[in-house]
Amino acid sequence: MWRRRSCSGEILTPPLASLARTLPPVSRRGLWILLVAFAAAWFCNLGYRHLAKSDEGRYAEIPREMVASGDWLTPRLNGFKYFEKPALQYWATAAAFSAFGMTEWAARLWPGLAGFFGVLLVYWTGNRLSGPPAGLYGAAVTASAAMYVALGHMLTLDMGLTFFMSAAVFAIALAQRDETSEADRRRWMLLAWSAAALAVLSKGLIGIVLPAGAVALYVLVERDWKRLARLHIVRGGLLFLAITAPWFIAVSLANPEFFRYFFIHEHFERFLTREHGRYEPVWYFVPVVLVGIVPWIVSLFPALWSAWTRSPGAHFQSQRFLLIWCAVVFTFFSASSSKLASYILPMLPALALIAGHYLESAGRRIALAHAAVAALLGIALIAAAPQAVRYATGDLPAALLVGYAPWLTAAGLTLVVAAVLSAWLALHARLAAAAVALAFGGLISVQTATSGHEELSPAYSAYHIVQKIRHQLKPDVPFYVVHTFDHTLLFYLGRTVTMVAYKDELAQPIAWEPKKFLPDEAAFARAWQSDPEAFAMFNSQDLAGFLEAHPVSMQIVARDARRVIVKKP
């Protein structure tokens, strides 16, 4: 007769085993302890690192300028109109700056909170869709997946987008369950429409296009045309417009150039062309997913297969719907001509739910395999850490990498220790505890590696070079950047600068407001000579050539491996 063990080690017959899967694997008190420990591990380093270029600098500077100018309608970067993304995260970060000051912690608070509550969302949804302990397993996967943890502690727009898109997709899944009453279905669908609207305000039209695509594909695959009547499209669509339309209308009225740039250039042209220099092959996201789901890679493919398998007796196949959602996200961005690894983050919470559903009944062998893979990865990281110095460049000195190596070693060691503990718990038939142990190990390992990145910050952040001249700076003295641009410089200076001969990503905004830009070195040399006081930043290798062509008076006041700052004597 088939048998299995409970978490306590008791041999269960099939009926008792089925009953055990419906009970929480830990007590209510234990869940609170886990929550407190998870919160401490998640938020402990949110403000530890200085901001790194370019995303962190950009998405801190735009809200800083909102606070400084008082204009929360039109996003600006270095004083130029910046219409690449909507304003929701800018508003949230500007509010954090207003409440807590201009700190790295406040800058990263929004993605940190979105990532934290995203884990809780997976836990709650998993328990509602599949029953305990599927939610706990799904939350464990989410909280420790390498990509999710890393991006939850970086200032980008992807984690906020991921939270709202996941909330929309999960609400759709809960609304469409067979046992959901009509009143509850209406409430869940209105929540889904609201979450999709906030996703649009986070990063654009993908916030509604991708969830709608997943629903459409599910209906086609299942030939479940009646499902369309359960989406509350009219009422939900009106709610969606009520949330999204006010800002889009207001910013368009204030800025006639917004509509074409945002909707045409930033959506269709970005997707269809290689203009942004982010072209990658169609298979680009395959290794991204495999690395991003570490340390749970063993469960990935069997979990996907399990999700596709029909659940007997159910009209709505929730696991298949989540799988289709993952496939839509993966396929959409794989087809795009503009790719960044972070783009597929929105599929990870649903992927974790699928994995959690599978792990609920996967057994001890899978738990031991996870531990073995994690241990091997940890050992590989320990072995690779001393080799980090081989990646030194002129912009990234070897001394910085030498300082980073111990952090990589500590991250690898953490993973090995967690893997050993997880294996021991699995051998004693404590499978939920084994998953939690591995999850904490994965979380702390990634946290250690990302915290150690601060050792490299002199190469990636303007904080250090600004500190060398801070006592000399005056708010009304011109500051120029010549043939270079560093988004973090603006944040740490606490002001905008005049760009010279280099437009970076601001080519179109500069075309709208060309008087704020100096087109060449000659124009800069004239401005420099006319200013009573001034500062300028150059790439280290550019200064000598500039002075040879334009022999003006300059005094070097600060330098690092990449840059040099001068002032007018």
Side-chain angles (χ1 to χ4, degrees), residues 141 295-305 354-355 358-359 362 366-367 370:
V141 173
W296 305 96
I297 191 170
V298 171
S299 291
L300 179 60
F301 293 105
L304 295 177
W305 178 257
I354 291 170
Y358 168 75
L359 288 171
I366 292 294
H370 282 143

Side-chain angles (χ1 to χ4, degrees), residues 190 193 231-244:
L190 292 179
W193 283 100
L231 299 177
H232 292 274
I233 293 175
V234 174
R235 187 177 301 184
L238 291 173
L239 178 60
F240 174 86
L241 291 174
I243 295 171
T244 58

Side-chain angles (χ1 to χ4, degrees), residues 121-143:
L121 179 66
V122 169
Y123 172 82
W124 189 85
T125 306
N127 283 345
R128 296 275 297 201
L129 285 178
S130 303
L136 181 63
Y137 282 118
V141 173
T142 313

Side-chain angles (χ1 to χ4, degrees), residues 146-161:
M147 175 182 285
Y148 191 90
V149 178
L151 291 175
H153 296 82
M154 294 180 187
L155 181 51
T156 71
L157 305 183
D158 299 290
M159 189 55 79
L161 172 72

Side-chain angles (χ1 to χ4, degrees), residues 34 37-38 41 140-141 143-146 149 294-296 374-375 377-378 381 410-422 425 433-449:
L34 283 178
F38 169 56
V141 173
S144 54
V149 178
V294 165
W296 305 96
L377 289 171
L381 193 56
L413 185 60
T414 299
L415 203 54
V416 171
V417 171
V420 171
L421 176 59
S422 179
L425 290 167
V436 169
L438 188 60
F440 269 99
L443 169 59
I444 296 171
S445 177
V446 177
Q447 288 282 61
T448 302

Side-chain angles (χ1 to χ4, degrees), residues 174-196:
L174 291 167
Q176 301 304 316
R177 292 182 305 164
D178 299 348
E179 61 268 31
T180 302
S181 68
E182 184 54 38
D184 285 342
R185 179 175 294 114
R186 182 177 63 254
R187 284 192 286 269
W188 282 119
M189 283 309 307
L190 292 179
L191 178 60
W193 283 100
S194 300

Side-chain angles (χ1 to χ4, degrees), residues 219-350:
V219 169
L220 287 172
V221 168
E222 295 292 310
R223 299 182 181 181
D224 188 1
W225 312 111
K226 294 181 179 179
R227 189 69 52 186
L228 296 173
R230 300 178 179 180
L231 299 177
H232 292 274
I233 293 175
V234 174
R235 187 177 301 184
L238 291 173
L239 178 60
F240 174 86
L241 291 174
I243 295 171
T244 58
W247 179 75
F248 284 109
I249 293 172
V251 75
S252 297
L253 291 174
N255 305 276
E257 59 272 61
F258 170 83
F259 185 88
R260 190 211 174 274
Y261 187 84
F262 180 81
F263 288 105
I264 306 301
H265 177 76
E266 280 301 306
H267 286 80
F268 295 101
E269 291 179 1
R270 179 186 285 261
F271 184 86
L272 295 172
T273 72
R274 304 182 184 183
E275 177 182 346
H276 289 268
R278 296 172 180 173
Y279 178 77
E280 299 290 349
V282 70
W283 49 263
Y284 173 74
F285 288 114
V286 173
V288 172
V289 171
L290 296 178
V291 173
I293 201 71
V294 165
W296 305 96
I297 191 170
V298 171
S299 291
L300 179 60
F301 293 105
L304 295 177
W305 178 257
S306 175
W308 185 253
T309 304
R310 294 190 63 84
S311 178
H315 293 291
F316 180 70
Q317 301 290 315
S318 61
Q319 293 297 307
R320 181 173 286 193
F321 172 69
L322 294 175
L323 178 59
I324 288 174
W325 160 249
C326 293
V328 165
V329 174
F330 186 88
T331 303
F332 178 87
F333 289 113
S334 294
S336 173
S337 295
S338 179
K339 297 182 180 71
L340 287 178
S342 59
Y343 285 177
I344 60 164
L345 183 67
M347 69 181 282
L348 271 183

Side-chain angles (χ1 to χ4, degrees), residues 61-208:
E61 175 60 16
I62 294 171
R64 187 203 68 77
E65 293 186 33
M66 279 187 170
V67 174
S69 67
D71 180 6
W72 289 43
L73 176 63
T74 301
R76 292 182 180 271
L77 177 60
N78 196 34
F80 293 100
K81 297 177 181 180
Y82 191 82
F83 295 142
E84 288 198 7
K85 300 295 182 291
L88 179 59
Q89 182 161 325
Y90 305 151
W91 294 335
T93 306
F97 285 156
S98 300
F100 305 114
M102 302 287 177
T103 65
E104 291 92 349
W105 181 87
R108 295 192 186 102
L109 183 59
W110 182 253
L113 287 172
F116 178 80
F117 285 109
V119 174
L120 302 188
L121 179 66
V122 169
Y123 172 82
W124 189 85
T125 306
N127 283 345
R128 296 275 297 201
L129 285 178
S130 303
L136 181 63
Y137 282 118
V141 173
T142 313
S144 54
M147 175 182 285
Y148 191 90
V149 178
L151 291 175
H153 296 82
M154 294 180 187
L155 181 51
T156 71
L157 305 183
D158 299 290
M159 189 55 79
L161 172 72
T162 295
F163 175 81
F164 289 119
M165 291 181 82
S166 298
V169 170
F170 294 171
I172 292 170
L174 291 167
Q176 301 304 316
R177 292 182 305 164
D178 299 348
E179 61 268 31
T180 302
S181 68
E182 184 54 38
D184 285 342
R185 179 175 294 114
R186 182 177 63 254
R187 284 192 286 269
W188 282 119
M189 283 309 307
L190 292 179
L191 178 60
W193 283 100
S194 300
L198 294 174
V200 168
L201 286 174
S202 294
K203 206 175 178 182
L205 294 180
I206 57 172
I208 185 65

